[in-house]
Amino acid sequence: MEKKIAYYLGYELSPALQTQILDTIERIQQGGNTDKLCALAADTIINVTDAGFVAYYDTPTTMAGLSKPIKRATDAGIHTVQKGIKVVIRKLLKNRSQEDLNRLAFNLSHLVCINTTDSQKAYACFRLRKPLYQKAITNMRRVHEDPNVDAYRSEVIETIEDLIASGIEMFYTRPVDQANIGKLTRKAADLGMNGVQKGTNAVIHRMFKGISHQELVPLARYFETLQHNNVSTLLC
């Protein structure tokens, strides 16, 4: 029987951040003061998202060599998004039960992916549905083959938006649906996350609206390094 291939998107974890995640999982599993565990989990997840902003925004925008006016505008937008995510994380991880924290530890265990050919490399990953993975691959191939960016610019933007939506579903919607969260807290968190998604999409549109083929090629090459099919999660 042919082995099913799983496709992931993710950035490489630093040894320090990987250790922090694993330590947080272990301490939650041991139990204890839930207020302290909530604060610990929030700090860890914020560090994971900060590293994600470096991998998914800072690094590619630096590589693209955007003009100063565009870079200033996108920086301002993404910093607003970053602050919004931190507010949502703190709000959601306040006064959580041990049961909710155990579920969070389980989800964190799925977040860490180990390279199956080099166990020293670990990534913060989320699994992509095959159609979305193939859509991303197709668009990256077009970047390499077709210098006429205007012919597929909208498809590239749409693919990035779909990847963002997939990440939000994996890291926000599903975990929050599973948790025992009051209606008011959930409503406030959803409102904050909707703002985050809209803000991120606005940054993407601003960034890619006038991007040239020369600027897009290194981004495509970098994006390819974030796609993985040779990893396994901690719980595999």
Side-chain angles (χ1 to χ4, degrees):
M1 188 175 178
E2 187 179 351
K3 186 178 178 182
K4 217 173 177 182
I5 299 175
Y7 304 98
Y8 293 86
L9 183 73
Y11 63 89
E12 187 169 355
L13 289 167
S14 68
L17 185 52
Q18 182 184 355
T19 298
Q20 183 181 6
I21 295 170
L22 298 180
D23 179 63
T24 299
I25 293 170
E26 183 178 355
R27 288 175 64 180
I28 288 174
Q29 290 172 338
Q30 290 172 351
N33 185 303
T34 54
D35 288 340
K36 290 182 179 179
L37 291 175
C38 284
L40 172 68
D43 289 342
T44 298
I45 293 173
I46 285 172
N47 286 344
V48 170
T49 59
D50 283 346
F53 277 108
V54 172
Y56 297 131
Y57 176 77
D58 291 347
T59 299
T61 53
T62 299
M63 292 175 65
L66 301 177
S67 67
K68 288 183 178 180
I70 292 177
K71 185 69 164 61
R72 279 197 298 269
T74 56
D75 281 353
I78 211 69
H79 290 156
T80 299
V81 168
Q82 200 166 2
K83 289 178 182 178
I85 285 181
K86 290 179 180 180
V87 170
V88 171
I89 291 170
R90 296 285 184 197
K91 190 182 297 292
L92 285 176
L93 286 175
K94 188 176 181 181
N95 301 324
R96 297 274 62 86
S97 66
Q98 184 63 48
E99 183 181 0
D100 283 343
L101 288 166
N102 289 341
R103 197 175 291 113
L104 173 64
F106 178 83
N107 290 332
L108 282 174
S109 297
H110 276 290
L111 169 71
V112 180
C113 296
I114 308 297
N115 190 308
T116 54
T117 59
D118 183 356
S119 60
Q120 297 302 308
K121 288 186 177 180
Y123 309 89
C125 283
F126 67 95
R127 190 168 179 172
L128 297 175
R129 293 185 177 90
K130 189 175 180 180
L132 180 53
Y133 178 84
Q134 290 176 329
K135 183 178 181 180
I137 291 294
T138 298
N139 277 291
M140 294 308 102
R141 189 177 296 123
R142 289 192 72 179
V143 172
H144 290 303
E145 296 174 353
D146 187 356
N148 183 16
V149 181
D150 289 335
Y152 53 87
R153 188 187 306 276
S154 60
E155 286 88 347
V156 170
I157 292 173
E158 181 184 275
T159 300
I160 296 172
E161 288 180 333
D162 288 347
L163 289 168
I164 292 168
S166 182
I168 289 174
E169 179 187 2
M170 179 64 65
F171 295 124
Y172 174 76
T173 307
R174 289 186 190 177
V176 170
D177 283 346
Q178 295 169 356
N180 182 23
I181 295 173
K183 289 183 179 180
L184 289 178
T185 300
R186 176 64 190 266
K187 188 175 181 179
D190 283 351
L191 186 63
M193 187 53 70
N194 287 339
V196 164
Q197 187 168 6
K198 287 179 181 178
T200 305
N201 288 345
V203 169
I204 297 302
H205 278 266
R206 189 178 294 122
M207 178 177 170
F208 284 89
K209 183 179 179 181
I211 200 168
S212 68
H213 185 253
Q214 184 179 358
E215 293 168 332
L216 196 54
V217 168
L219 291 184
R221 292 196 187 115
Y222 175 70
F223 178 80
E224 287 160 0
T225 70
L226 300 174
Q227 299 172 77
H228 312 282
N229 56 22
N230 61 336
V231 298
S232 61
T233 66
L234 289 177
L235 294 183
C236 283

